[in-house]
Amino acid sequence: LRMYVEALTGKEIEIAPLSAMPQESRIGDGKTIYLPSSVAEFDDDEMDFRLYKVLAAHGAGQIEFGTFERDTNGLKTAFAELSAIYSTTADELDESQNRLRKRAASLPEDSDYKVALNVFPEPRLARKIFGTMENARIDARLRLTYRGLVKDLYLMQSFLRSNRPYIFDLPIHQVPFELLFQITLCGGATDDARQFYGTVVSEIESVIDNYLNSALRTPHSALPSVADSLMATSRVYN
């Protein structure tokens, strides 16, 4: 697996057990890929390894496709837009406060997506949404770049979808995250989710399409970056 991951990323990467991953972190650190100590979902060695390979590819994809990029123009633009959305309006500030706000809207040097997430009024909530959005972006980029991996990615998708709970069995505070997970990584909302939360499902699908999928369908367009995941996070957060 280490050889496989290094072939994807072109870098020497550490692999560590998932139990060692920092609590509440759904995205790695760009240096280590965290994987379960074992996978035994199918009672079939070949199928289990295919699932394990997809988990490894997702971790490698974060590194390869720019989850941890710093100081890019996209991040600077996203940071400025998020700062404007979640800061107090200029009319409510005196001149000195307004100068401070404008200064804060410039991305600090050597910053990545984590700095932008701290702009949100509730950073912990934003991190949860972003983790799902960014994993959806990585999944789409893997499908586009590594055609040989597509069957395994569909295996993962069908496995996740087959294990979704009935939407009314969930506590209400978990429903938004379940809907987001289904739409981004399970191939779409389940029939029961769409029946009872059709409007919410449509709104989330629209965000995914606008920020993460549209560029993949347009020839020669810029592929979605971590900055697009941040802006999609903002739409869902709101």
Side-chain angles (χ1 to χ4, degrees), residues 100-115:
L100 288 173
R101 184 182 70 84
K102 289 180 178 178
R103 192 180 308 144
S106 297
L107 184 71
E109 187 176 351
D110 196 34
S111 295
D112 61 8
Y113 73 89
K114 292 188 287 293
V115 175

Side-chain angles (χ1 to χ4, degrees), residues 46-228:
E46 181 183 355
M47 295 288 282
D48 284 336
F49 182 73
R50 288 174 63 190
L51 181 59
Y52 210 68
K53 187 168 69 171
V54 167
L55 297 176
H58 260 268
Q62 292 176 7
I63 297 169
E64 183 177 5
F65 300 126
T67 296
F68 309 102
E69 63 186 14
R70 294 176 177 269
D71 297 343
T72 64
N73 289 334
L75 279 174
K76 291 175 182 177
T77 300
F79 183 82
E81 291 189 25
L82 294 173
S83 296
I85 291 170
Y86 297 114
S87 65
T88 311
T89 62
D91 291 339
E92 298 171 339
L93 300 169
D94 62 31
E95 190 59 31
S96 61
Q97 288 176 316
N98 196 31
R99 284 197 298 270
L100 288 173
R101 184 182 70 84
K102 289 180 178 178
R103 192 180 308 144
S106 297
L107 184 71
E109 187 176 351
D110 196 34
S111 295
D112 61 8
Y113 73 89
K114 292 188 287 293
V115 175
L117 289 176
N118 286 331
V119 170
F120 287 79
E122 297 183 50
R124 183 177 178 182
L125 173 59
R127 283 194 294 271
K128 289 182 68 174
I129 298 171
F130 173 80
T132 304
M133 286 296 188
E134 181 64 359
N135 282 325
R137 183 183 74 87
I138 296 303
D139 190 80
R141 291 292 302 271
L142 286 170
R143 291 172 189 274
L144 186 67
T145 306
Y146 298 107
R147 301 293 185 180
L149 192 61
V150 170
K151 286 185 178 180
D152 293 335
L153 289 167
Y154 276 121
L155 171 70
M156 176 75 154
Q157 188 180 86
S158 62
F159 168 72
L160 291 173
R161 187 175 179 83
S162 67
N163 285 277
R164 299 333 304 149
Y166 185 66
I167 200 69
F168 270 10
D169 289 342
L170 291 174
I172 191 64
H173 69 274
Q174 292 183 15
V175 168
F177 300 103
E178 174 64 23
L179 294 177
L180 184 61
F181 184 69
Q182 289 182 13
I183 293 166
T184 54
L185 292 170
C186 300
T190 58
D191 291 341
D192 54 296
R194 194 175 295 278
Q195 177 183 355
F196 295 112
Y197 295 100
T199 300
V200 179
V201 168
S202 294
E203 290 180 356
I204 294 175
E205 287 175 337
S206 177
V207 172
I208 300 298
D209 194 59
N210 288 337
Y211 286 94
L212 301 183
N213 291 341
S214 59
L216 296 173
R217 297 193 300 266
T218 306
H220 311 301
S221 63
L223 293 173
S225 70
V226 66
D228 295 296

